């Protein structure tokens, strides 16, 4: 019997593992980097062990340190979660060599499927060896790891070498393995769907295929919304997917939880890879089949056998990943304090954060996963979108509005989505649609909070003015103090205090819940920034200034790039690494690099000046 489990991971998945362990009466051990010293997964564990450093390569990718931590803390088993070392056969062997129980598949099975190139060969497939014009578009893909890291779409042969180099660097940084391969790209314009099959196998020869999942809504090859079962698949295709998934498991004598992924185009299924670990989206399968996959992993690791048949599937489940990122700004990750995270009852929330936690730059920007289960797909969509719409998410910019709109988009509700969904619809899904009365509600709440005696005087008062920044635009609102209280033109103020404003708008009463954190104000789902009454003068930036879109580390500057060099519009100049992803900073126009401040290895804050490009026609005018 397992009595103590170390989670070789962090954040949401570590908290998820610990939740099941507590239910089973198993003690828990966390490991943490210096950046995660006070993270939620560290606080909820019974014991925690420090991994010195902050970068993944120094901490969560150091299998030797994690094994030492497990032994020192008295753990008798290790659960890898997902990401980091979850699919590292060497780490699995090290755990077993230390006399610990490995809650995962045999190292040999991991090794056989860890490289996507070898996995394809095992399934009788092979990646492209030479790419020709006829093969385009193609996908450059990391042989190890996943989560969209080390992946690049190539649409012209001229892009191939740069994509290979960039993918290798990102894969090496994320997984410690820079091997990449090339395969035909069947997403986007090909209207391919990402469909996968959850498997669970014991050491006694039983393999369960626990339904399908559709994970087609992706950004940067990372999943955003997932659901089970995958809607609209013909029974024959579903049976084929089950058969292929079981074949993959049996070919490597698989034990434990795993996922076999496919790209489905029409009625044809193309094998992508086998993930020899628990998936981020596993909760939708748990909801539909009424099981706890982490508990099943632990039981299998203890040697228990599965029943002959899996439980019966019931209903439909959908999961949405809440990220600290700005979809309207090329999915730029966001950092800062998460003041509040609260989702209404009726949905499951898996998270590694709680109110007051700080979202840093070192790790993935996922804040939480919200999961809804209902009798039908339409009911699950309604339940999840409604809960997200009413959720309180106070702090950095998130993709919450995008999730709500995605769930309600006609192509999604009709189950006609594919992996190119966001390529085609992102502009509409991120178009500003703020509440026009949110700035007024914020001003009334602020006025109540600052007015010691209600603000009324015996003489007619001049309108008070406040300014707010909303969705990048400045808004000015006016209100007055009267004998009856606060008033504004065009509405009747029914109630106003620092937390709640009720307005009667053309006979319809609306409630506005207000939360303020310094100059940042949240009014229901609308985020505002209170502007000072007298704006401070700001330093003007030179035209063509390239600013850091996020806090991160400068990991590379284009070769031979120096002040005075000629650059072309769209040319990659600087590479930033933030939250485990690499981001290219490109020249905004053709011209001359008139200033270069970026230095490899330097940490920069959002808005930091990296370089200045002077446009060619501007140079001509100045001469």
């Amino acid at each position: 019997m397992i009595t103590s489990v170390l989670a070789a991971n962090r954040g949401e998945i570590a908290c998820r593992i610990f939740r099941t362990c507590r239910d089973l009466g198993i003690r828990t051990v966390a490991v943490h980097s210096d950046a995660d010293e006070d993270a939620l997964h560290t606080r909820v564990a019974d014991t925690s062990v420090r991994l010195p450093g902050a970068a993944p390569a120094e901490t969560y990718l150091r299998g030797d340190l994690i094994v030492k931590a497990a032994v020192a803390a008295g753990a008798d088993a290790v659960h890898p979660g997902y990401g980091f070392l979850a699919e590292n056969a060497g780490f699995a062997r090290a755990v077993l060599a230390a006399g610990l129980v490995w809650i995962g598949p045999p190292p040999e099975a991991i090794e056989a499927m860890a490289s996507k190139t070898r996995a394809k060969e095992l399934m009788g497939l092979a990646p492209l060896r030479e790419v020709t014009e006829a093969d385009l578009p193609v996908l450059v893909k990391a042989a190890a790891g996943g989560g969209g890291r080390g992946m690049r779409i190539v649409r012209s042969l001229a892009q191939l070498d740069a994509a290979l180099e960039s993918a290798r660097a990102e894969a090496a940084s994320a997984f410690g393995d820079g091997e990449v391969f090339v395969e035909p790209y069947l997403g986007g314009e090909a209207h391919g769907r990402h469909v996968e099959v959850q498997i669970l196998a014991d050491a006694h020869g039983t393999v369960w295929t626990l339904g399908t999942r559709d994970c087609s809504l992706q950004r940067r090859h990372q999943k955003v919304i997932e659901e089970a079962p995958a809607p609209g698949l013909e029974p024959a295709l579903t049976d084929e997917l089950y058969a292929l998934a079981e074949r993959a498991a049996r070919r490597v004598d698989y034990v434990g939880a795993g996922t076999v992924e496919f790209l489905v185009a029409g009625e044809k299924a193309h094998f992508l890879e086998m993930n020899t670990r628990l998936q981020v989206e596993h909760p939708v399968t748990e909801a539909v089949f009424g099981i706890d996959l982490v508990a099943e992993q632990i039981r299998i690791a203890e040697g228990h056998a599965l029943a002959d048949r899996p439980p019966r599937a019931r209903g439909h489940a959908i999961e949405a990943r809440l990220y600290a990122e700005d979809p309207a700004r090329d999915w730029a990750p966001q950092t800062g304090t998460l003041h509040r995270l609260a989702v209404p009852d009726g949905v499951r929330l898996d998270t590694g954060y709680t109110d007051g936690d700080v979202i840093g730059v070192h790790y993935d920007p996922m804040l939480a996963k919200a999961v809804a289960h209902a009798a039908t797909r339409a009911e699950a969509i309604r339940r999840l979108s409604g809960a997200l719409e009413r959720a309180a998410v106070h702090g950095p910019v998130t993709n919450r509005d995008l999730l709500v709109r995605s769930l309600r988009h006609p192509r999604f509700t009709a189950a006609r989505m594919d992996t190119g969904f966001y390529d085609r619809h992102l502009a509409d899904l991120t178009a500003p649609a703020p509440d026009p009365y949110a700035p007024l509600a914020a001003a009334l709440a602020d006025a109540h909070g600052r007015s010691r005696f209600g603000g009324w005087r015996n003489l007619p008062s001049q309108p008070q003015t406040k300014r707010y920044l909303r969705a990048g635009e400045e808004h000015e609102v006016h209100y007055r103090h009267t004998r009856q209280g606060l008033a504004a033109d065009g509405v009747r103020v029914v109630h106003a205090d620092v937390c709640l404003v009720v307005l009667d708008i053309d006979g319809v009463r609306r409630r506005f819940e207000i939360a303020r954190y310094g100059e940042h104000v949240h009014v229901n789902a609308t985020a505002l920034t209170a502007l000072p009454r007298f704006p401070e003068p700001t330093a003007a930036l030179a035209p063509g200034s390239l600013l850091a879109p996020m806090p991160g580390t400068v990991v590379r500057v284009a070769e031979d790039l120096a002040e005075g060099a000629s650059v072309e519009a769209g040319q990659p100049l600087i590479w930033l690494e933030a939250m485990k992803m690499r981001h290219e900073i490109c020249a905004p126009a053709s011209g001359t690099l008139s200033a270069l401040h970026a230095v490899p290895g330097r940490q920069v804050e959002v808005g930091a000046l990296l370089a200045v490009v002077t446009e060619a026609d501007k140079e001509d005018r100045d001469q």
Side-chain angles (χ1 to χ4, degrees):
M1 294 289 290
I2 292 172
T3 62
S4 178
V5 169
L6 179 142
N9 220 295
R10 65 173 300 280
E12 173 267 326
I13 184 56
C15 293
R16 162 73 187 89
I17 293 165
F18 294 158
R19 185 170 68 243
T20 289
C21 287
R22 285 195 300 272
D23 291 343
L24 298 176
I26 296 173
R27 291 189 302 110
T28 56
V29 180
V31 289
H32 67 86
S33 67
D34 292 338
D36 276 342
E37 182 178 8
D38 196 39
L40 181 61
H41 78 275
T42 302
R43 303 199 303 266
V44 300
D46 295 315
T47 307
S48 64
V49 181
R50 176 186 176 226
L51 303 175
E58 302 171 318
T59 55
Y60 299 109
L61 289 172
R62 285 287 303 272
D64 57 335
L65 297 182
I66 293 174
V67 170
K68 288 180 181 178
V71 173
D76 50 23
V78 172
H79 193 303
Y82 50 71
F84 295 129
L85 296 171
E87 295 177 278
N88 187 302
F91 177 56
R93 289 193 175 99
V95 169
L96 294 169
L100 304 170
V101 176
W102 170 250
I103 305 176
E108 296 76 17
I110 298 174
E111 206 161 48
M113 290 292 184
S115 167
K116 296 175 179 63
T117 53
R118 291 189 289 274
K120 286 181 177 292
E121 292 166 356
L122 190 65
M123 296 293 286
L125 306 169
L128 292 171
R129 300 301 178 186
E130 293 185 11
V131 180
T132 67
E133 198 74 37
D135 297 318
L136 298 173
V138 296
L139 185 67
V140 177
K141 201 171 184 179
R149 298 170 188 88
M151 295 177 70
R152 301 289 186 275
I153 300 172
V154 177
R155 303 183 187 278
S156 72
L157 292 180
Q159 299 174 330
L160 183 59
D161 288 343
L164 288 168
E165 181 182 358
S166 176
R168 287 189 186 108
E170 188 169 272
S173 174
F175 314 119
D177 184 345
E179 181 188 354
V180 298
F181 66 96
V182 180
E183 66 181 9
Y185 177 61
L186 300 176
E189 56 269 30
H191 300 291
R193 293 173 59 187
H194 188 120
V195 177
E196 57 192 32
V197 176
Q198 174 73 56
I199 61 169
L200 194 64
D202 63 21
H204 307 280
T206 300
V207 177
W208 284 358
T209 51
L210 289 167
T212 58
R213 295 190 290 252
D214 188 293
C215 310
S216 298
L217 266 62
Q218 304 178 5
R219 56 59 165 154
R220 288 180 172 169
H221 312 293
Q222 285 188 302
K223 301 160 188 173
V224 177
I225 293 177
E226 306 103 340
E227 59 182 304
L233 297 183
E234 292 294 331
L237 179 57
T238 300
D239 290 342
E240 179 186 353
L241 296 178
Y242 288 165
L244 289 170
E246 184 173 345
R247 185 200 308 171
R250 294 195 181 280
R251 283 194 174 179
V252 295
D253 297 323
Y254 199 81
V255 176
T259 298
V260 183
E261 301 195 349
F262 303 91
L263 190 67
V264 172
E267 293 305 310
K268 293 184 178 180
H270 304 268
F271 171 79
L272 290 176
E273 60 185 303
M274 181 178 183
N275 294 129
T276 53
R277 55 172 169 81
L278 199 65
Q279 293 278 89
V280 179
E281 58 272 20
H282 74 273
V284 292
T285 298
E286 292 183 321
V288 169
F289 284 88
I291 62 175
D292 182 330
L293 285 171
V294 174
E296 294 296 333
Q297 286 182 295
I298 292 172
R299 292 185 69 255
I300 289 169
E302 290 177 329
H304 296 287
L306 294 170
D308 292 338
R309 296 176 181 274
R312 181 183 173 187
R314 296 180 182 276
H316 201 96
I318 303 179
E319 172 182 290
R321 303 189 192 185
L322 183 67
Y323 286 100
E325 65 184 12
D326 189 348
R329 293 177 48 234
D330 196 27
W331 311 97
Q334 307 291 299
T335 60
T337 301
L338 180 67
H339 297 290
R340 188 179 181 206
L341 176 62
V343 176
D345 293 339
V347 299
R348 167 177 167 176
L349 188 72
D350 285 10
T351 182
Y353 291 92
T354 191
D355 296 358
D357 286 350
V358 175
I359 304 160
V361 301
H362 299 288
Y363 312 112
D364 189 274
M366 188 176 77
L367 300 180
K369 304 178 309 193
V371 186
H373 179 242
T376 67
R377 183 174 187 267
E379 291 174 302
I381 290 173
R382 183 175 63 188
R383 179 170 294 174
L384 184 57
S385 61
L388 288 170
E389 186 176 47
R390 296 190 301 275
V393 188
H394 300 166
V397 175
T398 72
N399 68 335
R400 186 264 299 277
D401 291 347
L402 175 90
L403 295 175
V404 174
R405 294 184 185 184
S406 298
L407 290 165
R408 292 172 175 171
H409 192 279
R411 290 198 68 87
F412 184 81
T413 57
R416 296 172 58 199
M417 59 283 183
D418 57 71
T419 57
F421 178 83
Y422 287 124
D423 293 336
R424 293 189 298 276
H425 302 294
L426 185 61
D428 291 337
L429 292 168
T430 56
D435 189 324
Y437 293 98
L440 175 60
L444 294 173
D446 185 62
H448 183 279
R450 294 174 184 270
S451 177
R452 186 177 177 186
F453 300 107
W456 178 77
R457 292 178 297 175
N458 199 31
L459 297 173
S461 64
Q462 295 297 316
Q464 303 293 305
T465 301
K466 289 192 180 294
R467 298 160 48 247
Y468 295 91
L469 195 65
R470 179 184 69 186
E473 295 183 358
E474 184 177 321
H475 293 267
E476 187 173 275
V477 294
H478 307 277
Y479 63 92
R480 298 182 308 279
H481 292 283
T482 71
R483 185 188 300 271
Q484 290 75 31
L486 293 166
D489 294 338
V491 300
R492 185 167 69 88
V493 182
V494 178
H495 174 84
D497 62 37
V498 293
C499 298
L500 176 67
V501 171
V502 181
L503 301 178
D504 186 308
I505 305 166
D506 296 329
V508 178
R509 287 193 178 189
R510 291 192 54 196
R511 294 169 54 89
F512 299 86
E513 295 184 4
I514 291 91
R516 181 161 184 159
Y517 311 93
E519 71 274 18
H520 300 293
V521 187
H522 292 265
V523 181
N524 291 345
T526 300
L528 305 170
T529 301
L531 297 175
R533 184 177 180 185
F534 302 106
E536 296 181 3
T538 57
L541 290 170
S545 294
L546 301 182
L547 307 180
M550 67 208 72
T553 304
V554 177
V555 293
R556 182 185 165 200
V557 174
E559 190 175 352
D560 297 327
L561 188 67
E563 292 182 6
S566 296
V567 297
E568 297 295 326
Q571 176 185 341
L573 304 179
I574 301 161
W575 284 259
L576 282 183
E577 187 166 275
M579 296 184 174
K580 299 167 69 176
M581 298 290 287
R582 289 202 171 194
H583 307 266
E584 291 182 351
I585 311 298
C586 299
S590 297
T592 301
L593 187 73
S594 51
L596 178 63
H597 301 284
V599 177
R602 178 176 293 174
Q603 293 275 344
V604 296
E605 295 299 321
V606 62
L609 181 63
L610 302 176
V612 179
V613 174
T614 302
E615 291 186 49
D617 58 349
K618 174 75 163 55
E619 292 175 324
D620 294 340
R621 289 196 300 269
D622 292 343
Q623 290 177 354

